[in-house]
């Protein structure tokens, strides 16, 4: 039993190296280079170089090791992580009546929206920075960098519909080789370079760099944070791998490899300052550039894949928590429920990534845009964590402030340093994030208004059935399942069916779906059944935000309650809302038009709920908000 557990932990740790650490593992390609970019004004001398490397090492230590690996990984939502899981947990911890509720909601949605910006920039900057290594082998390759990058990204996004299960097994081994190479290159360059860089291990040099450089240090922070891009993945992927494998991978391989590589780049630049234009690829002899470019490209493709999969997962969670409209979601694996493909998100992200590659043209230009998305999400995570440990874990206020206050100050410093880059490219993720946040808030508000409007016209189900069976209509064979947005009231589809067809089925199931603010609801707790008499039943189906929605499977579960439903004689009735504009009673006209467009273009509810198309009847219902 013990050897099996060790084997399982080892396998999960290897997989976590490939999926969780792909993004942060490719940061050495561009992080140190960007700090000493001429636009930042940081002079390349021994004191500054040691100070900058010290800042990077201690940023990795404080932000990743202390904040994420030690603290944030503990703030799980029944084993699941990620900003939407944390938002659900934080809102649940404080309760809807708490005065911080709307601020938490906004912070969580804003952080999630910025994650979409991160999801666009990560593939662009990662693959660009790897392919740009070709110019170290031959400057003649420069005009071909962007076309090669677009070709690689096109193949990557095209592959998504096929799923990543077949090649996912290679992610861990390839990324492990990548980290071993990072460590090896770092140690080799420290041996042949200037070992004075080892002084960077002392945090005093980081403090000195901050004190001696003032405003320039503040500007440099915007590039130093590039060393911790991908830290959110630690938390987001916790549900796939668990805390222990993620922590083992970080402390035993990833952190040492990153630290050694940054020290190696520093030793190289102390000895050969002229290589500052691309210190990473200068770490190998000329003959080694092409093999390193190939390995780096593979690593950046894996990092991009993790970001794409994370975007799919975030979108699914947002849909089931009610912040985005239904979308077509395809499960690409029969074994792993988390492996999904969302066509609209995939190709929308692809288009934006290609625009970013063409528009910015280089990893250096994209670096200015990268930090805002990353630091904004990190700040939102810290803010929500405070409320989880204060109100969810019931820890004392001084302890909560101490546990999150330092991290909040660091996040604010990094976020502020990136705000000054708005004109240089920071506008891109901010614009993208603002658009996504606006859509989320619009959809959520519109749904609430529709719920309010339908509640005003709702008829209590039990009382209606009681009066109906005083003089019942003609009954026909089979089972009718009426999908109901709200439990306990008469579904509009039921009223329309009675009005137009004037018949009642032999068995009638009034089914409502309830999404819980938890990742998973087990099958044992999936359905709740209440008899309404006369072969009528009220059924509540509960899903977590990571469960796959499948109503026919839920119907199968009610057989244990004595309700036999033959699939071929079961019909599903649902209402589709048609919004009628009504001089903007509930929201501004422009927002109402956006919501109406989202409602019209939302995914097919029958497909989203897993209903058989040939046995589903949709009935329209007009709603004024």
């Amino acid at each position: 039993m013990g050897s099996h557990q060790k084997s399982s932990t080892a396998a999960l740790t290897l997989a976590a190296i490939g999926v969780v650490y792909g993004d942060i593992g490719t940061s050495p390609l561009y992080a140190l280079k960007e700090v000493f970019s001429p636009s930042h004004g940081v002079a390349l001398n021994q004191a500054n170089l040691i100070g900058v490397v010290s800042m990077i090492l201690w940023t990795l230590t404080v932000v990743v090791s202390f904040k994420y690996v030690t603290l944030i990984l503990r703030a799980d939502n029944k084993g699941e992580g990620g900003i939407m899981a944390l938002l659900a947990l934080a809102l649940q911890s404080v309760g809807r009546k708490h005065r911080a509720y709307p601020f938490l909601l906004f912070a969580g949605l804003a952080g999630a929206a910025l994650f979409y910006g991160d999801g666009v920039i990560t593939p662009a900057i990662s693959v660009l920075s790897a392919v740009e290594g070709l110019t170290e082998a031959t400057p003649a390759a420069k005009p071909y960098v962007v076309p090669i990058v677009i070709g690689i990204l096109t193949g990557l996004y095209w592959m998504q519909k096929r799923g990543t299960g077949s090649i996912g097994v290679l992610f861990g081994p390839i990324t492990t080789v990548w980290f071993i190479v990072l460590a090896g290159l770092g140690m080799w360059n420290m041996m042949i370079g200037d070992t004075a860089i080892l002084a960077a291990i002392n945090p005093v040099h980081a403090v000195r760099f901050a004190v001696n450089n003032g405003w320039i240090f503040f500007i440099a922070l915007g590039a130093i944070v590039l060393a911790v891009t991908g830290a959110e993945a630690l938390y987001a992927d916790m549900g796939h791998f668990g805390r222990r494998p993620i922590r083992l991978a970080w402390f035993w391989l990833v952190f040492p490899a990153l630290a050694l590589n940054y020290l190696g780049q520093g030793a190289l630049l102390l000895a050969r300052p002229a290589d500052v234009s691309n210190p990473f690829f200068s770490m190998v002899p000329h003959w080694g550039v092409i093999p390193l470019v190939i390995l780096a490209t593979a690593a950046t493709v894996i990092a991009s894949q993790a970001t794409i999969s994370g975007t799919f997962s975030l979108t699914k969670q947002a849909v089931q928590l009610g912040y985005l409209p239904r979308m077509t979601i395809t499960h690409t694996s029969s074994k792993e429920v988390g492996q999904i493909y969302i066509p609209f998100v995939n190709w929308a992200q692809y288009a934006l990534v290609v625009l970013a590659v063409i528009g910015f043209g280089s990893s250096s230009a994209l670096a200015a845009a990268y930090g805002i998305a990353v630091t904004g999400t990190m700040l939102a995570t810290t803010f929500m964590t405070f409320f989880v440990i204060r109100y969810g874990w019931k820890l004392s206020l001084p302890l909560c402030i101490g546990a999150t206050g330092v991290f909040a100050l660091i996040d604010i410093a990094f976020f502020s340093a990136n705000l000054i880059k708005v004109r240089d490219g920071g506008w891109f993720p901010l614009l993208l994030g603002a658009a996504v946040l606006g859509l989320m808030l619009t959809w959520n508000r519109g749904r609430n208004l529709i719920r309010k409007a339908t509640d005003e016209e709702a008829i209590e189900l039990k009382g209606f059935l009681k009066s109906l069976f005083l003089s019942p209509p003609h009954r026909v064979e089979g089972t009718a399942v009426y999908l109901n947005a709200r439990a306990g009231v008469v579904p509009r589809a039921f009223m329309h069916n009675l009005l137009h067809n004037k018949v009642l089925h032999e068995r009638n199931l009034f089914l409502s779906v309830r999404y819980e603010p938890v990742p998973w609801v087990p099958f044992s707790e999936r359905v709740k059944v209440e008899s309404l008499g006369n072969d009528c039943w009220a059924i509540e189906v509960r899903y977590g935000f990571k469960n796959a929605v499948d109503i026919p499977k839920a119907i199968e579960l009610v057989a244990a309650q004595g309700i036999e439903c033959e699939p071929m004689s079961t019909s599903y009735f649902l209402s589709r809302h048609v919004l009628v504009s009504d001089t903007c009673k509930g929201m501004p006209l422009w927002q109402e038009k956006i919501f109406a467009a989202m409602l019209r273009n939302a995914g097919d509810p029958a497909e989203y709920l897993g209903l058989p198309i040939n046995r589903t009847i949709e009935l329209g219902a007009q709603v004024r908000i």
Side-chain angles (χ1 to χ4, degrees), residues 146-350:
V146 169
I148 291 172
V149 170
I150 292 175
I152 292 170
L153 291 171
T154 300
L156 176 62
Y157 280 90
W158 179 81
M159 181 186 71
Q160 297 306 309
K161 62 183 177 182
R162 300 176 180 270
T164 58
S166 56
I167 64 168
V169 293
L170 300 175
F171 287 2
I174 291 173
T175 312
T176 299
V177 171
W178 169 251
F179 282 117
I180 292 171
V181 169
L182 287 183
L185 289 176
M187 289 187 289
W188 169 252
N189 279 270
M190 278 190 283
M191 290 171 58
I192 65 174
D194 193 333
T195 55
I197 195 63
L198 291 172
I201 297 171
N202 187 343
V204 170
H205 292 281
V207 176
R208 249 181 226 158
F209 173 72
V211 172
N212 294 338
N213 287 277
W215 177 250
I216 289 178
F217 156 73
F218 183 71
I219 296 174
L221 277 180
I224 289 170
V225 76
L226 295 176
V228 293
T229 57
E232 279 287 326
L234 293 170
Y235 183 48
D237 290 312
M238 179 169 56
H240 294 289
F241 306 104
R243 292 191 195 95
R244 181 172 168 77
I246 290 174
R247 286 172 172 162
L248 287 173
W250 173 252
F251 287 116
W252 286 98
L253 177 63
V254 179
F255 187 24
L258 291 174
L260 287 169
N261 193 264
Y262 285 119
L263 287 167
Q265 289 189 47
L268 168 74
L269 292 180
L270 282 177
R272 297 178 354 225
D275 288 331
V276 71
S277 60
N278 204 330
F280 181 81
F281 286 103
S282 299
M283 298 176 83
V284 294
H286 187 74
W287 58 265
V289 171
I290 297 298
L292 188 58
V293 167
I294 293 172
L295 180 59
T297 302
T300 55
V301 166
I302 292 171
S304 302
Q305 175 59 58
T307 305
I308 296 168
S309 299
T311 305
F312 291 160
S313 179
L314 176 67
T315 301
K316 180 188 173 187
Q317 293 176 27
V319 168
Q320 295 193 188
L321 288 171
Y323 298 114
L324 284 175
R326 293 180 304 272
M327 299 184 193
T328 299
I329 299 176
T330 303
H331 292 267
T332 58
S333 170
S334 58
K335 297 179 180 179
E336 298 292 334
V337 70
Q339 291 187 18
I340 59 174
Y341 168 66
I342 305 178
F344 174 78
V345 173
N346 184 71
W347 293 113
Q349 189 181 63
Y350 168 75

Side-chain angles (χ1 to χ4, degrees), residues 519-532:
W520 309 100
V521 173
F523 283 112
S524 59
E525 302 173 15
R526 183 65 52 84
V527 296
K528 179 182 175 183
V529 178
E530 179 187 358
S531 174
L532 301 175

Side-chain angles (χ1 to χ4, degrees), residues 461-462 464-465 468-469 475 479-495 497-498 504-505 507-513 528-541 551 555 558 563 573:
L461 179 61
K462 289 182 179 179
F464 180 81
L465 289 177
L468 178 68
F469 284 107
R475 304 192 77 160
T479 301
V481 179
Y482 293 95
L483 279 298
N484 203 359
R486 180 186 162 196
V489 301
V490 179
R492 290 193 173 205
F494 181 58
M495 294 289 285
N497 189 42
L498 284 176
L504 194 64
H505 282 73
R507 281 176 299 278
N508 296 275
L509 310 183
F510 300 93
L511 187 146
S512 60
V513 177
K528 179 182 175 183
V529 178
E530 179 187 358
S531 174
L532 301 175
N534 298 293
D535 274 330
C536 294
W537 309 82
I539 299 175
E540 182 180 81
V541 184
I551 297 302
I555 295 296
V558 304
I563 308 172
F573 294 82

Side-chain angles (χ1 to χ4, degrees), residues 11-208:
L12 285 170
T13 302
L14 180 64
I17 291 169
V19 176
V20 175
Y21 293 109
D23 191 355
I24 198 170
T26 56
S27 297
L29 287 165
Y30 47 79
L32 191 59
K33 174 182 73 172
E34 291 309 318
V35 176
F36 290 101
S37 170
S39 62
H40 294 137
V42 182
L44 181 56
N45 54 48
Q46 180 168 316
N48 283 351
L49 186 55
I50 293 175
V52 166
V53 173
S54 184
M55 282 290 301
I56 290 175
L57 295 181
W58 283 97
T59 298
L60 287 168
T61 301
V62 175
V63 173
V64 184
S65 298
F66 294 164
K67 176 185 172 181
Y68 281 95
V69 177
T70 303
L71 175 63
I72 302 293
L73 283 185
R74 295 177 183 273
D76 65 293
N77 191 334
K78 294 193 176 180
E80 289 294 329
I83 194 160
M84 291 304 290
L86 184 63
L87 172 61
L89 186 61
L91 294 177
Q92 195 175 17
S93 297
V94 301
R96 187 174 290 274
K97 295 181 179 180
H98 195 281
R99 60 184 179 182
Y101 189 93
F103 300 103
L104 276 170
L105 179 60
F106 181 82
L109 294 182
L114 285 172
F115 183 86
Y116 282 95
D118 186 10
V120 169
I121 299 174
T122 293
I125 193 173
S126 298
V127 180
L128 260 174
S129 60
V131 178
E132 282 171 350
L134 291 172
T135 61
E136 293 295 309
T138 169
K142 189 172 183 179
Y144 303 101
V145 168
V146 169
I148 291 172
V149 170
I150 292 175
I152 292 170
L153 291 171
T154 300
L156 176 62
Y157 280 90
W158 179 81
M159 181 186 71
Q160 297 306 309
K161 62 183 177 182
R162 300 176 180 270
T164 58
S166 56
I167 64 168
V169 293
L170 300 175
F171 287 2
I174 291 173
T175 312
T176 299
V177 171
W178 169 251
F179 282 117
I180 292 171
V181 169
L182 287 183
L185 289 176
M187 289 187 289
W188 169 252
N189 279 270
M190 278 190 283
M191 290 171 58
I192 65 174
D194 193 333
T195 55
I197 195 63
L198 291 172
I201 297 171
N202 187 343
V204 170
H205 292 281
V207 176
R208 249 181 226 158

